[in-house]
Amino acid sequence: MILAAVTDTLLAQIGNPTPKAPPLAEKITEMVQYLTWFVLLAGICAIIFAGGKFAWEKWSGGGLESPKMVAGAMIGGVVATSAGTIMNAVIG
């Protein structure tokens, strides 16, 4: 009982700290923006490559493995573009 009262009193005095940006926050944000741009570019290239491979497989009569590549590239693109939203939902 006494321990609970002391703990509550001490915790009430600590307060709620305000967040402060780290020293290189601008550079980190810029790096994340460049990485996001690169991921989107890589996803577009993957879809173009998989589409070309799909056309080649249809034309040559080979086995169709490229639809999996197209689906994977599209799913990866959705995850990459919504990563910020997902992290905000997880972290709160």
Side-chain angles (χ1 to χ4, degrees), residues 17-47:
T18 57
K20 185 178 178 183
L24 298 174
E26 298 86 23
K27 295 292 182 183
I28 293 171
T29 302
E30 186 177 350
M31 182 183 72
V32 169
Q33 289 172 346
Y34 284 137
L35 288 174
T36 303
W37 181 84
F38 179 73
V39 166
L40 293 175
L41 180 65
I44 290 169
C45 291
I47 290 173

